[in-house]
Amino acid sequence: MLHFPSANTAAHRPSARDVAKLGELLDDDVWAFSNCRVDAPGRPVAEVDWFFYNVRHGTLMVSEWKGFPQRVASATDTGTPWRLDGGLNVPNPIEQVSRQLDAVRAVLRGTILPHHFPTFDPQQLLLMQSVYSPQVDDGTTIERIRWGKVYGSLPHLAGFISTATSKSPLTLPDDGARLGLATALCALFRTSFPADVKAKLRSPKRGGDTDVVRRISAIHRHIAALHTELADLIVVAAGSAGTAQPPTAAEAPRAKVSKSQALTEQQRMHDHLARSFQGVNSSRDDAAKALEKAWRSVLNDPLLHGDTGISISLFGSVGTPLVKQRHGSLPKVLGMQLRKWCLLQAKAFGMKPLDIPGKPSNIRVR
């Protein structure tokens, strides 16, 4: 994520923790302007908490962040207040972000589009809107919101920002125009332009040559295979080190079976991921789909359902090399932590994932 904080030293600032979390979840194709001050002709000055622009997908979002003294019991659409635990009613933030969105749309149409997107029809400009509140949880009743979404989790918000597409994407013709656009947006929103962010935008992006992508993908698979071979050698070495005290006749078969199962689990996990990533890595969406396909295969593989269940951490360690160099960490690709994603996927596949006592990284499915 490229972050452009408010240039006003007296302005409210997002917490460093939230900024760091967004930085983990969003890549540098997402520009984030915080605590923007928007002057739209004929409208009151709008104070915008966050404006997100995904330059790769051409999507834009105005996001209102709200903290409440109690948990949000009910989040409704415009026209009625939100209700907190205890019965307290609070102003509806959906209505607030809608007013902000109107102001942002007006200034973008009037100042940014004519200079940086001269062929784009201003009437086709689409902006998304959202409300984020950590007091929204799984127990909150969220009414169907006509224009926008409500989030109580930063990974869920970041996942939507990363993957959402638009019928009328606002994309630049080339990467060289990004620096000028970022400068104009900083001036418009009264945000600063950090030196490290400017340096990133000045550096030319590497081309996405298909042959290069395939070669990188092949290298990742080879590295994963080497890791498997090393794991085998470690197990063999560990077995050799114990020859001074050979196992009894009753213990030897058990040790042999344990080694075989460990090797098989690692190898089979690698095989499922390698097959799913065959020809993949051209985009982060494709990588996410490949992980979904691989995880489904793992869940349906009876040989990976041992006494200790299915190892999510092993799936992550084998899958990470396939996405890390091009797309970053697995949580970035998936939009949330790996364990949570794996549980949600299992449920989506019609399975019931169960925790295993003493094995926090393992699950069993029914």
Side-chain angles (χ1 to χ4, degrees):
M1 177 187 76
L2 301 185
H3 181 213
F4 304 86
S6 175
N8 181 0
T9 57
H12 174 75
R13 300 274 172 165
S15 75
R17 189 177 187 178
D18 287 342
V19 173
K21 186 64 176 178
L22 286 175
E24 293 176 7
L25 297 170
L26 300 171
D27 62 25
D28 288 350
D29 279 332
V30 176
W31 299 0
F33 301 80
S34 61
N35 303 110
C36 312
R37 185 176 174 86
V38 180
D39 290 319
R43 301 173 185 271
V45 174
E47 303 287 346
V48 177
D49 286 343
W50 287 91
F51 174 78
F52 296 101
Y53 176 33
N54 187 323
V55 295
R56 183 174 69 253
H57 291 167
T59 52
L60 308 98
M61 174 187 281
V62 177
S63 187
E64 173 71 10
W65 288 31
K66 283 291 186 185
F68 296 105
Q70 286 91 31
R71 172 182 165 276
V72 177
S74 174
T76 56
D77 202 357
T78 57
T80 56
W82 283 18
R83 183 170 52 82
L84 307 182
D85 275 354
L88 177 66
N89 289 333
V90 294
N92 190 322
I94 292 289
E95 297 173 354
Q96 183 177 350
V97 75
S98 296
R99 292 190 294 269
Q100 296 170 355
L101 184 141
D102 289 341
V104 172
R105 182 193 291 115
V107 295
L108 291 178
R109 284 175 173 174
T111 61
I112 298 298
L113 295 187
H115 295 93
H116 298 273
F117 304 90
T119 62
F120 190 90
D121 180 1
Q123 299 305 314
Q124 298 299 313
L125 182 65
L126 300 177
L127 278 75
M128 302 179 294
Q129 64 184 42
S130 70
V131 172
Y132 164 71
S133 172
Q135 284 74 47
V136 171
D137 59 25
D138 292 340
T140 301
T141 301
I142 301 178
E143 182 182 319
R144 184 176 180 274
I145 310 296
R146 289 170 297 172
W147 312 112
K149 292 180 177 290
V150 175
Y151 297 95
S153 159
L154 280 184
H156 287 167
L157 172 61
F160 186 77
I161 294 169
S162 296
T163 59
T165 57
S166 173
K167 295 179 181 178
S168 300
L170 191 68
T171 53
L172 285 165
D174 60 81
D175 291 337
R178 291 188 175 189
L179 182 61
L181 175 60
T183 302
L185 289 173
C186 284
L188 178 68
F189 293 139
R190 302 183 188 182
T191 58
S192 60
F193 201 151
D196 60 328
V197 174
K198 191 173 294 187
K200 287 183 179 181
L201 288 175
R202 280 181 174 150
S203 301
K205 292 175 71 67
R206 294 183 179 179
D209 183 84
T210 303
D211 292 336
V212 173
V213 171
R214 288 177 178 171
R215 178 57 184 154
I216 292 173
S217 179
I219 291 171
H220 281 316
R221 293 191 194 97
H222 185 57
I223 291 173
L226 289 175
H227 279 301
T228 300
E229 185 176 349
L230 285 171
D232 295 354
L233 291 173
I234 290 171
V235 173
V236 172
S240 300
T243 55
Q245 296 291 334
T248 65
E251 292 172 339
R254 185 183 307 169
K256 185 175 180 181
V257 170
S258 297
K259 292 176 187 176
S260 175
Q261 287 177 341
L263 294 176
T264 300
E265 182 183 16
Q266 173 96 13
Q267 185 61 54
R268 292 187 72 82
M269 194 77 78
H270 166 263
D271 289 346
H272 286 305
L273 281 154
R275 281 195 298 270
S276 298
F277 271 87
Q278 189 71 38
V280 176
N281 265 2
S282 58
S283 73
R284 195 162 71 174
D285 290 343
D286 289 342
K289 291 177 182 177
L291 288 168
E292 180 180 333
K293 181 180 177 182
W295 181 236
R296 181 191 287 264
S297 298
V298 168
L299 292 173
N300 288 322
D301 186 342
L303 295 182
L304 289 177
H305 295 236
D307 293 339
T308 57
I310 303 171
S311 174
I312 293 177
S313 61
L314 180 59
F315 180 80
S317 64
V318 177
T320 293
L322 299 175
V323 302
K324 185 173 183 180
Q325 183 169 338
R326 184 169 179 83
H327 306 296
S329 66
L330 286 177
K332 269 193 173 183
V333 175
L334 302 173
M336 64 185 73
Q337 293 300 311
L338 176 62
R339 177 178 172 79
K340 184 172 184 178
W341 179 85
C342 287
L343 295 176
L344 291 175
Q345 289 297 318
K347 292 177 182 177
F349 300 153
M351 300 178 178
K352 183 179 179 181
L354 302 172
D355 293 333
I356 299 178
K359 294 284 184 179
S361 66
N362 291 25
I363 62 169
R364 184 174 289 111
V365 293
R366 292 179 178 175

